[in-house]
Amino acid sequence: MLDEEARTEGFNEMALKFSEYYKGKIQIFPKVPVRSLEDFSFWYTPGVAAVSRKIAENADNSFEYTGRWNSIGILTDGTRVLGLGNVGPEAAMAVMEGKSLIFNVLGAVNAVPIPIRVRTRDEFVSVARALEPAFGGFNLEDIESPKCFFILEELQKSLSIPAWHDDQLGTASITLAGLINSLRIVGKKHEDTTVVLFGSGAANIATAHLLMAAGFRGENIIICDSKGILHPEREDMDQLMLNNPWKYRLAMITNGERRKGGPEEAFRGADVVVSAAKQGPGTIKKEWIRSMDRDPIIFALANPIPEIWPSEAREAGARIVATGRGDFPNQINNSLIFPGVFRGVLDARAKGVNFKVMVAASYELADYVKEPTEEKIVPTMEEWEIYPRVASAVAYETASQGLARRSGSKEHFLKVATEMIENNRRVYERMLSEGLIKPLPGTVRK
């Protein structure tokens, strides 16, 4: 455990050093040739007026004549950043820049970080609606619960572009992908599997809905939060009905056995635990894992410190252990999902996204691992081929659901996404090799 803690502190020190050196992770750079001042006559005035008139005839023309088709806004109010909590929009900018970097490197998506200073959920929705003409989609990020549920729901109803809250939908999608392969390894069926969702914030609320959309039975899902197991007779149900109706509705359709009590009762006999609770170690106890059914599956997803160290979970009998960290096997990280999802919705010029689209993305990701093992249930971020594959599955399913402005075969969308991502990678690698992007301080460029 000391080695694991020291490694975490080392990453913290490097992050501070490198962030101060580069002073930002992204920049805007032209994509069109400018050979002389005359070229501005068609890139800007007077020629650009014709483009504006064309778009004024039909707003959807903005997807064909401007960069809107490949641009998204990353919106946050900084109220729930990583494991830090409410640090404010300025502090959230560092995380949003990192998100933008991943979007571009892995998905060839132009993602603009937009931390906003708003006081209420309605103000957040108003800002997003006002920004809609500039983007082909919104990635919502690091928004406290239950505010995030209202914002996502309102934006999905009112916008003509996809709204995706990565802490909900991204985490749920990669979790489902990991569970698909984990259950293949232990030989259990979705409909017979008892899943404990430990923690009931944004991630696990969305995971509950996605699991049901993928064939898990609601009565076999047990949600346990800081007050214990969620069930219809719990004393805070009236309060939840008013303040968190999303959690209240799940109390009505999950936990068919009507279990009561705390984690000890929730874990007993369960097949799977997906934890999105407070950081550990020690949040999940070894004895709870020992009480589970054969071949326990533990997803301890708190960052940066998981609820239980993987070595301890295995000592307690866990067959498969996953965390949110890349320095352990089986990283359950949104970065495997969201670049491909947004590549897909942008290629389809999508108007929205739903749970069926997310299930398709999760299966595409899981199926990429041809022979899953206890140490490899999902791909890694280095296997870049997964991103065009997820993109094609998302674009095709979006079109099938009637949510797209463009249609095509899965093969067509795979070709489009692959070309986009490959071209972007070539440009980026060329900039690195020629020193246009400075090497890390203290290293020599190869």
Side-chain angles (χ1 to χ4, degrees), residues 84-155:
L84 304 176
N86 188 350
V87 296
E90 288 86 359
M93 183 64 172
V95 182
M96 301 310 109
E97 281 192 336
K99 201 85 173 188
S100 177
L101 177 69
I102 294 171
F103 265 119
N104 192 270
V105 171
L106 300 179
V109 173
N110 297 325
V112 181
I114 310 177
I116 58 177
R117 182 174 289 105
V118 291
R119 293 171 299 173
T120 68
R121 61 188 194 178
D122 292 309
E123 286 181 355
F124 195 114
V125 169
S126 294
V127 170
R129 287 172 176 164
L131 290 169
E132 180 183 4
F135 297 106
F138 284 130
N139 179 74
L140 309 178
E141 195 76 25
D142 292 349
I143 306 166
E144 63 188 350
S145 175
K147 183 200 299 182
C148 60
F149 303 123
F150 171 85
I151 291 171
L152 179 64
E153 197 171 89
E154 287 299 305
L155 292 180

Side-chain angles (χ1 to χ4, degrees), residues 221-274:
I221 296 174
I222 300 168
I223 302 172
C224 186
D225 61 16
S226 59
K227 295 183 179 179
I229 296 172
L230 197 63
H231 59 85
E233 292 81 34
R234 211 169 75 169
E235 60 183 13
D236 62 342
M237 281 299 103
D238 288 344
Q239 183 181 358
L240 283 179
M241 184 168 58
L242 293 174
N243 299 326
N244 195 335
W246 303 273
K247 188 171 174 178
Y248 173 83
R249 288 194 290 265
L250 282 175
M252 300 296 111
I253 60 175
T254 60
N255 187 13
E257 294 180 10
R258 295 298 183 251
R259 293 194 196 189
K260 299 178 181 179
E264 298 91 338
E265 290 75 22
F267 278 58
R268 190 171 297 120
D271 301 289
V272 173
V273 171
V274 176

Side-chain angles (χ1 to χ4, degrees), residues 65-78:
Y65 289 90
T66 75
R68 185 185 184 193
W69 70 275
N70 195 40
S71 298
I72 68 166
I74 306 176
L75 297 180
T76 185
D77 60 2

Side-chain angles (χ1 to χ4, degrees), residues 10-25 97 438-443:
F11 290 144
N12 291 340
E13 292 175 1
M14 285 188 287
L16 287 171
K17 175 183 177 182
F18 297 152
S19 294
E20 183 179 20
Y21 178 74
Y22 286 99
K23 292 181 171 52
K25 305 177 184 73
E97 281 192 336
K438 295 187 293 184
L440 293 169
T443 63

